[in-house]
Amino acid sequence: MTLSCASGLAPLRLGGRALLPIVQGGMGVGVSAHRLAGSVAALGAMGTISSVDLRRHHPDLMERTRDLAPGDVATRRAKEDINAANLEALAREIQAARRISGGRGLLAINVMRAVGEYAPSVTRALECGIDAVVVGAGLPLDLPELAQDHPAALLVPILSDARGVQLLVRKWERRKRLPDAIVIEHPQLAGGHLGAAKIADLADPRFDFENVIPQSIGFLRSAGIEKEIPLIAAGGIRRFGDIARVQRLGAAGVQLGTPFAVTRECDAHPEFKRVLAQARDADLVEFTSVAGLPARAVATHWLKAYLKAEEKLQSVSHVKPRCTLAFDCLAQCGLRDGLAAWGQFCIDTQLAAALRGDVKKGLFFRGVGALPFGEQIRGVRELLEHLLTRDEAPVAPAPGAS
């Protein structure tokens, strides 16, 4: 049974549907797959599958791509085989999520603009009938062209400031398409890859919801399209009061990642959930990812060791003849391409270790803020009910708010 809005929260209207004003954020590698996304959609919200390396949930696809020989010709074949396996896994995950959702809510795919298979992943998801395509980690200026044969699919970019909103909307208008919604993600609060140019920018006041939401709405209003593009606030959302606050600012809904990552339905290993649930803000660290973007994660054994060696690794960075894993998951990679200012590790390897609960080797992305149920692992329904239930505690202002 779906849930419904109460206590004065407005529904999120997308694709002709009235949804709970809650979007489950996409989390890779494999953290948000069919079980989590389908469960969220089944209750009347929007669930999101992360497109990155989904073959890791499918033993037959992993076996098919396990022992791929090195060498120039073989590497090209390995890349093709792995990418084909991931596209097959994506199709399977969408189908499985659809079975769980039962046609309720909406199902989205999250694709990083920075990944090498961005366009094929978008295309395959659309061919599989995905309801929405959410794109972050770069400006998806070409998304309207990729989706032109699927006009009913919702297109949702992730941005962090009003300048980005203005730039993207104007570019898309020339392509005769508008975003169906825009996620406004606060880089000082979110987990994973963050929407700022460098770590020093994370606390810039231009990212505060009190600034970016009204500024973005002002631009949309001046362009006569305010009612056509709902804004969805992401980063640090943990309870009813957070949703009510951003709705008062003009946002239509919110997106959460970490609270969904520690639900029973999350597709990751129980140890992954434990690491996130037990981490506090003091345990989090910001660093530059191998994708060249600031990122936030739990300071686990592996990450602390890497950061200790990072300067030395960057000093000897150089272009590699091929990707460590043969399939070039990123369009540009600090390790493979010898980009000295970027991260110098294989992100797919470390995120996959986290997915399977390897605490010693994993990279565990996490957002800022105490979780709704502390260290407890609860269900998706309980989380949504918590978020939709009015609380009496005073609402803390956003960072930088006066």
Side-chain angles (χ1 to χ4, degrees):
M1 180 184 298
T2 58
L3 301 175
S4 59
C5 284
S7 305
L9 293 179
L12 171 62
R13 300 189 182 278
L14 281 178
R17 302 192 191 191
L19 306 173
L20 299 179
I22 297 167
V23 174
Q24 167 250 313
M27 297 169 283
V29 168
V31 173
S32 62
H34 75 270
R35 200 157 68 102
L36 177 57
S39 299
V40 172
L43 292 169
M46 187 160 92
T48 308
I49 298 169
S50 172
S51 70
V52 181
D53 210 8
L54 284 167
R55 68 194 168 106
R56 294 187 179 276
H57 281 303
H58 300 267
D60 63 320
L61 298 179
M62 286 300 292
E63 185 62 30
R64 186 191 306 173
T65 56
R66 189 179 307 280
D67 298 317
L68 297 172
D72 292 340
V73 175
T75 295
R76 286 197 297 272
R77 176 62 184 273
K79 175 180 170 65
E80 293 171 0
D81 288 349
I82 293 172
N83 288 335
N86 276 321
L87 291 178
E88 184 173 340
L90 174 57
R92 293 182 189 180
E93 292 292 322
I94 292 172
Q95 184 179 40
R98 188 74 68 194
R99 286 196 296 268
I100 294 173
S101 71
R104 297 177 291 273
L106 288 177
L107 285 173
I109 186 76
N110 178 288
V111 186
M112 290 175 59
R113 183 63 182 84
V115 299
E117 290 297 288
Y118 154 71
S121 297
V122 169
T123 300
R124 178 60 60 88
L126 291 168
E127 292 170 348
C128 292
I130 199 72
D131 297 319
V133 177
V134 181
V135 180
L139 281 174
L141 299 181
D142 57 348
L143 189 55
E145 282 85 358
L146 292 175
Q148 61 185 355
D149 294 333
H150 302 272
L154 308 176
L155 306 183
V156 184
I158 300 177
L159 303 166
S160 290
D161 63 13
R163 288 179 293 182
V165 170
Q166 185 170 329
L167 172 63
L168 182 132
V169 169
R170 285 179 171 168
K171 294 282 189 181
W172 279 27
E173 281 183 316
R174 296 172 193 164
R175 294 164 166 81
K176 311 299 182 184
R177 183 69 195 255
L178 291 175
D180 294 282
I182 296 175
V183 174
I184 303 293
E185 187 175 79
H186 198 316
Q188 193 179 7
L189 303 173
H193 289 103
L194 308 171
K198 52 185 184 292
I199 294 172
D201 293 338
L202 295 178
D204 192 313
R206 78 177 188 273
F207 297 128
D208 292 343
F209 292 144
E210 280 74 8
N211 293 323
V212 64
I213 293 174
Q215 289 169 7
S216 297
I217 291 174
F219 160 69
L220 297 175
R221 184 182 298 122
S222 68
I225 52 176
E226 176 189 359
K227 302 298 183 183
E228 299 179 52
I229 308 178
L231 303 181
I232 299 168
I237 306 298
R238 297 292 183 264
R239 58 195 183 90
F240 175 95
D242 298 326
I243 305 174
R245 176 170 63 85
V246 297
Q247 284 200 337
R248 286 195 297 270
L249 291 171
V254 297
Q255 176 178 287
L256 298 82
T258 305
F260 281 109
V262 297
T263 59
R264 287 191 293 269
E265 293 87 346
C266 172
D267 298 84
H269 190 279
E271 276 295 282
F272 173 92
K273 302 172 190 182
R274 183 191 64 78
V275 170
L276 265 62
Q278 292 183 355
R280 303 293 180 263
D281 286 356
D283 301 320
L284 306 183
V285 63
E286 292 83 37
F287 59 99
T288 301
S289 162
V290 69
L293 298 167
R296 178 173 293 112
V298 181
T300 54
H301 173 81
W302 173 82
L303 185 52
K304 286 188 283 189
Y306 164 73
L307 291 175
K308 186 176 180 179
E310 182 180 54
E311 186 175 348
K312 181 179 180 180
L313 292 171
Q314 290 176 331
S315 70
V316 296
S317 64
H318 61 280
V319 177
K320 311 296 190 298
R322 65 183 181 91
C323 167
T324 304
L325 296 182
F327 73 115
D328 299 306
C329 66
L330 293 171
Q332 277 194 297
C333 168
L335 179 63
R336 181 196 67 213
D337 300 330
L339 303 172
W342 294 18
Q344 300 296 312
F345 59 91
C346 176
I347 193 165
D348 188 86
T349 297
Q350 309 310 145
L351 290 176
L355 173 69
R356 63 178 183 266
D358 188 334
V359 179
K360 291 184 178 180
K361 298 179 181 178
L363 172 58
F364 294 78
F365 284 149
R366 189 195 192 280
V368 170
L371 295 175
F373 302 115
E375 297 183 10
Q376 298 178 42
I377 308 301
R378 301 274 195 97
V380 164
R381 175 179 283 275
E382 291 174 276
L383 174 60
L384 291 174
E385 288 175 341
H386 166 84
L387 294 168
L388 296 170
T389 300
R390 182 182 293 276
D391 48 49
E392 302 302 326
V395 179
S402 58

